[in-house]
């Protein structure tokens, strides 16, 4: 039988309690009022100028905003700028500097699967709640809130998957490593169950916007009010194709980003990329499309590898191979 080492337990307890005491003053509750009624989410202090980071979907449609600090202070806030692609919003509050505890930002590129992380936020209006889990995966892709002219959603890349408990109200709050650095902004959960009130139930699959995307986007939002993402103009499957699907399109290659659709007039079409057009034995899957196996020399095993690289390393107008 395994026997827990009391010294190890004490050390772990100390790390987690110190982390909470240091980070919680920088975490806020965001209360909104809109035509749909009252809502709430989470956020964290970004700088000493009173900028608060949260999710766009937390503040979407809000007529008034309230920001509640762990100290008990409650103030009104205004939305400075939003980014629908990565679901980020910047809020401004006017408070004395002694109430502002900016949280340090980490480096999400250095995260490893299995690494312990914690989420602090406001699930179900239970303020200052901390939960713990691990990094389950990196480089996931979610649908953007922004859509193309045909209502097809754009892709949001470099998303972190975690099993730290994230529930309604956690949105916009920080995902932190054990050094107390923010490595992501909690955004969404994947769930097949609902509460009696119709709220999604945590199933151990949560998603967070990587902090390196945040570090790239937020300075532009504060300075210019917007951020322009690089755009390829292709569609691909957000999951890896099965062996049966690779065989159906006649490919001996079994990894990469298979081009399902190319946007007319977009950069990819101008560069000569083509999408599948020939029906296969699998309904809705067409053969003949290009398979992207690397970008600028970096291997692409799944679509998320391509999108994450472009989002973190390129700007509109840049060229890629």
């Amino acid at each position: 039988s395994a026997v827990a080492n009391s010294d190890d337990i004490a050390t772990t307890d100390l790390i987690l309690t110190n982390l909470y005491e240091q980070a919680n003053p920088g975490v806020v509750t965001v209360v909104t009022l809109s035509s749909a009624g009252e809502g709430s989410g989470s956020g964290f202090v970004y700088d000493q100028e009173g900028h608060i980071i949260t999710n766009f979907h937390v503040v979407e449609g809000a007529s008034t905003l309230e920001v509640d600090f762990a100290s008990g202070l409650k103030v009104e806030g205004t939305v400075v700028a939003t980014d629908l692609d990565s679901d980020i919003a910047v809020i401004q509050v006017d408070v004395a500097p002694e109430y502002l505890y900016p949280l340090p930002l980490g480096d999400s590129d250095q995260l490893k699967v299995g690494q312990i992380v914690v989420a602090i936020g406001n699930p179900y209006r239970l303020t200052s709640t901390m939960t713990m889990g691990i990094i389950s995966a990196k480089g996931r892709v979610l649908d953007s809130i922004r859509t193309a002219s045909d209502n097809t959603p754009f892709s949001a890349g470099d998303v972190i998957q975690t099993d730290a408990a994230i529930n309604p109200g956690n949105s916009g709050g920080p995902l932190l490593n054990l050094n107390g650095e923010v490595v992501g902004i909690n955004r969404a959960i994947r769930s097949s169950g609902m509460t009696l009130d119709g709220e999604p139930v945590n199933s151990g699959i949560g998603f967070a916007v990587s902090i390196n995307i945040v570090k790239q986007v937020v300075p532009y939002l504060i300075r210019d009010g917007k951020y322009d993402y690089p755009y390829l103009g292709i569609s691909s499957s957000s999951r890896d194709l099965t062996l049966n699907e690779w065989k159906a399109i006649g490919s001996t290659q079994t990894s990469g980003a298979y081009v399902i659709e190319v946007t007319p007039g977009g950069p990819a079409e101008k560069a000569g990329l083509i999408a599948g057009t020939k029906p296969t034995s699998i309904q809705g899957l067409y053969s003949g499309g290009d398979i992207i196996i690397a970008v600028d020399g970096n291997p692409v095993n799944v679509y998320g590898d391509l999108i994450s690289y472009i989002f973190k390393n390129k700007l509109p107008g840049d060229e890629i191979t």
Side-chain angles (χ1 to χ4, degrees), residues 24-32 38-45 52 65-77 91 93 95 99 121-122 125 127-128:
N24 191 53
V27 181
V28 301
T29 296
V30 180
V31 182
T32 62
E38 187 178 275
S40 67
S42 305
F44 66 91
V45 179
I52 306 292
L65 285 177
E66 173 188 318
V67 177
D68 300 351
F69 291 81
S71 64
L73 176 68
K74 295 177 174 61
V75 298
E76 291 183 353
I91 299 171
V93 294
V95 300
Y99 291 104
N122 174 45
R125 297 298 293 269
T127 58
S128 299

Side-chain angles (χ1 to χ4, degrees), residues 238-260:
S238 60
R239 62 166 178 80
D240 191 11
L241 298 184
T242 65
L243 180 59
N244 191 43
E245 289 170 327
W246 285 114
K247 287 181 177 179
I249 63 175
S251 173
T252 56
Q253 175 79 22
T254 57
S255 64
Y258 180 64
V259 181
I260 294 173

Side-chain angles (χ1 to χ4, degrees), residues 174-197:
L175 186 71
L176 304 115
N177 61 22
L178 293 187
N179 290 328
E181 298 168 329
V182 183
V183 294
I185 301 177
N186 299 317
R187 174 181 170 181
I189 61 174
R190 180 164 294 174
S191 176
S192 58
M194 295 285 180
T195 67
L196 294 176
D197 297 325

Side-chain angles (χ1 to χ4, degrees), residues 153-219:
F154 288 92
S155 296
D158 202 36
V159 175
I160 299 165
Q161 181 183 330
T162 179
D163 69 347
I166 296 172
N167 287 290
N170 272 119
S171 292
L175 186 71
L176 304 115
N177 61 22
L178 293 187
N179 290 328
E181 298 168 329
V182 183
V183 294
I185 301 177
N186 299 317
R187 174 181 170 181
I189 61 174
R190 180 164 294 174
S191 176
S192 58
M194 295 285 180
T195 67
L196 294 176
D197 297 325
E199 297 279 11
V201 175
N202 179 276
S203 58
I205 299 179
F207 298 103
V209 182
S210 77
I211 202 62
N212 283 10
I213 291 291
V214 176
K215 289 195 290 188
Q216 186 164 328
V217 171
V218 167

Side-chain angles (χ1 to χ4, degrees), residues 101-168:
Y101 293 88
L103 297 184
L105 307 183
D107 182 355
S108 49
D109 286 349
Q110 299 304 312
L111 290 174
K112 296 184 180 298
V113 174
Q115 186 173 335
I116 294 174
V117 287
V118 301
I120 302 179
N122 174 45
Y124 299 111
R125 297 298 293 269
L126 299 170
T127 58
S128 299
T129 295
M130 184 169 87
T131 54
M132 183 176 71
I134 62 170
I135 299 294
S136 302
K138 297 171 59 181
R140 297 299 195 203
V141 176
L142 294 180
D143 285 346
S144 166
I145 298 174
R146 186 165 64 93
T147 59
S149 56
D150 61 356
N151 290 324
T152 302
F154 288 92
S155 296
D158 202 36
V159 175
I160 299 165
Q161 181 183 330
T162 179
D163 69 347
I166 296 172
N167 287 290

